[in-house]
Amino acid sequence: MNQINPPPRLLMGPGPSTADPRVLRAMSAQLVGQYDPAMTDLMNETMELYREVFSTRNEQTFLVDGTSRAGIEAALVSLLEPGDRMLVPVLGRFGHLLVEIAERCGAEVHTITVPWGEVFRPEQVEEAVLAVRPKLLAVVQGDTSTTMCQPLADLGEICRRHDVLLYCDATASLGGNPYPADAWGIDVTTAGLQKCLGGPSGSAPITLSPRAVAVIEARRHVEAGIRDAGDQPRGRRIQSNYFDLAMVMDYWGPRRLNHHTEATTMLYGARECARLLVAEGIDNAVERHRLHGAAMLAGVQGLGLGVFGDLAHKMNNVVAVEIPDGVDGEGLRAALLADFGIEIGTSFGPLHGRVWRIGTMGYNARRDAVLTTLAALEQVLRACGAAVTAGGGVGAAREVYAG
């Protein structure tokens, strides 16, 4: 067999995005032992960097080894006991994922829904909280299946008023959309690297408020063979060993109790993602995503294409483009990949075959990536027989950049 040699691609779909070369370089560094002082220093630095990324002072801010779904599952299995009530406002495919995972935890899951392309008003959520009286409200901030960004600013206060924990999946939104976790009163957030953070999938940053930590610590069980006399079991044991956040917190904390061998190369990558974001400035990164997302939106509209959903609540970093009548959506995606090396996405469920999803996120939230994608999209649309405005995409994007 030959060495791995992936073809050159510009990943302009809903994720993964093209990894920042600086992140890939960091990931090529040599391994060290998991208790080497250099390693524990890197773990502590990573925790501090992600506190800035999440805009939090939560002590328990660290990485779950695995993709973003690993972070979601770790949060839910550690917070929920069988029979606990959870409320999920479902605005797209990834709200359904939260339901799926929570049901596997044995939770009693309740949902409210809006049509795809819309978001929830705070009063809708509060009304459901009053009706369900859940232990946990679980919400997706940016659901890439619909490209909607759920407003969160009022939900923390609602949850505090009714003694409910607030969990948010910010996988697709963190780093490209505002996310002040502490200011918004969010108890638990999980994310991933492969969207706005500009890294590869495989590490899930997480942050836990003191309220959430207290719930998890009340279920703390230390494994035989490493427990001390003072490590008495508490409450109902968390049902997953690997995703037991009580044990993972002990691993990342001062005791460094052995839990698993840290995914060192992913730690290097996750640390570099956060370092680059903090060096840029969180507000600057969000504005960069807003600018290039606005240019992409204007560009597809300039080509004469329709856009799906409530644009007032669209994520900065993804746009859902309506496939014109008579155009083979999958055929166009294949041609864009074959002729230009550019990947855009399809969607799920009721939007499958109706929209393309184009991302401007992470390392690809930049002018040349946007303009190149729009120019290539115009050409493949023409080849498919679609009526488009000549130069309209690049021209409209340039107007956005001109201010």
Side-chain angles (χ1 to χ4, degrees):
M1 291 186 182
N2 296 326
Q3 288 184 327
I4 291 174
N5 185 30
R9 296 287 190 247
L10 181 61
L11 301 181
M12 298 297 287
S17 61
T18 305
D20 191 308
R22 294 169 291 184
V23 174
L24 298 180
R25 284 196 293 269
M27 294 178 71
S28 70
Q30 185 54 269
L31 304 183
V32 294
Q34 62 177 325
Y35 297 115
D36 189 304
M39 182 63 173
T40 53
D41 284 348
L42 286 171
M43 293 172 74
N44 290 338
E45 291 166 6
T46 301
M47 295 172 76
E48 187 57 38
L49 285 166
Y50 276 97
R51 291 185 188 107
E52 296 194 50
V53 171
F54 285 115
S55 299
T56 185
R57 295 314 306 160
N58 290 338
E59 178 185 358
Q60 298 299 345
T61 302
F62 50 90
L63 305 175
V64 174
D65 289 336
T67 64
S68 50
R69 189 173 300 209
I72 298 169
E73 188 150 344
L76 295 184
V77 76
S78 297
L79 291 167
L80 295 170
E81 299 184 40
D84 282 343
R85 290 184 182 181
M86 185 174 92
L87 174 64
V88 184
V90 176
L91 56 104
R93 180 258 188 274
F94 293 101
H96 290 297
L97 174 62
L98 300 186
V99 173
E100 155 85 11
I101 294 173
E103 287 178 341
R104 287 173 179 257
C105 296
E108 178 188 319
V109 185
H110 298 255
T111 63
I112 53 175
T113 61
V114 290
W116 285 32
E118 298 180 15
V119 297
F120 291 91
R121 302 186 309 277
E123 54 268 26
Q124 290 176 287
V125 176
E126 184 162 24
E127 181 181 350
V129 166
L130 286 168
V132 173
R133 296 292 180 180
K135 175 182 181 179
L136 182 69
L137 173 67
V139 65
V140 177
Q141 184 188 30
D143 196 312
T144 55
S145 66
T146 67
T147 75
M148 293 298 99
C149 192
Q150 171 62 43
L152 300 174
D154 296 317
L155 300 191
E157 193 275 330
I158 290 170
C159 286
R160 290 296 195 281
R161 192 161 64 243
H162 300 294
D163 194 26
V164 175
L165 288 170
L166 176 56
Y167 161 71
C168 181
D169 169 15
T171 297
S173 51
L174 185 69
N177 302 266
Y179 197 85
D182 283 359
W184 285 351
I186 298 170
D187 290 297
V188 182
T189 308
T190 62
L193 305 184
Q194 73 275 17
K195 310 280 188 172
C196 299
L197 298 185
S201 178
S203 185
I206 186 171
T207 186
L208 304 157
S209 75
R211 288 205 319 157
V213 169
V215 171
I216 295 168
E217 288 283 5
R219 302 178 65 189
R220 184 171 179 269
H221 289 245
V222 179
E223 290 177 355
I226 60 172
R227 71 170 71 110
D228 292 336
D231 291 323
Q232 297 301 311
R234 305 172 193 164
R236 184 166 187 159
R237 185 167 62 176
I238 293 167
Q239 290 171 279
S240 170
N241 177 287
Y242 188 74
F243 293 133
D244 183 331
L245 290 182
M247 292 200 291
V248 178
M249 287 189 293
D250 275 339
Y251 180 58
W252 280 79
R255 288 184 71 184
R256 303 289 177 190
L257 286 184
N258 180 262
H259 178 252
H260 65 285
T261 300
E262 178 59 24
T264 309
T265 299
M266 285 308 309
L267 173 74
Y268 295 163
R271 179 185 178 279
E272 184 67 0
C273 287
R275 189 191 70 80
L276 292 170
L277 196 61
V278 169
E280 180 180 4
I282 306 300
D283 291 343
N284 293 334
V286 170
E287 172 57 23
R288 172 169 57 87
H289 282 82
R290 186 209 63 78
L291 172 64
H292 297 297
M296 182 63 79
L297 172 62
V300 296
Q301 291 175 322
L303 287 170
L305 302 173
V307 176
F308 174 80
D310 176 4
L311 296 187
H313 293 103
K314 189 186 79 64
M315 299 164 67
N316 285 338
N317 50 299
V318 190
V319 61
V321 181
E322 294 172 349
I323 300 172
D325 291 341
V327 172
D328 175 5
E330 290 304 296
L332 181 139
R333 290 179 63 235
L336 195 60
L337 190 67
D339 294 345
F340 295 94
I342 298 174
E343 178 183 281
I344 63 173
T346 181
S347 193
F348 309 102
L351 292 182
H352 183 70
R354 288 182 51 197
V355 302
W356 298 303
R357 293 178 299 156
I358 304 178
T360 47
M361 63 181 83
Y363 182 66
N364 288 344
R366 61 182 202 269
R367 178 177 176 136
D368 64 307
V370 170
L371 297 180
T372 298
T373 300
L374 288 168
L377 181 61
E378 178 182 340
Q379 294 306 311
V380 292
L381 281 166
R382 286 182 177 281
C384 291
V388 295
T389 303
V394 171
R398 282 184 177 274
E399 289 182 12
V400 172
Y401 289 130

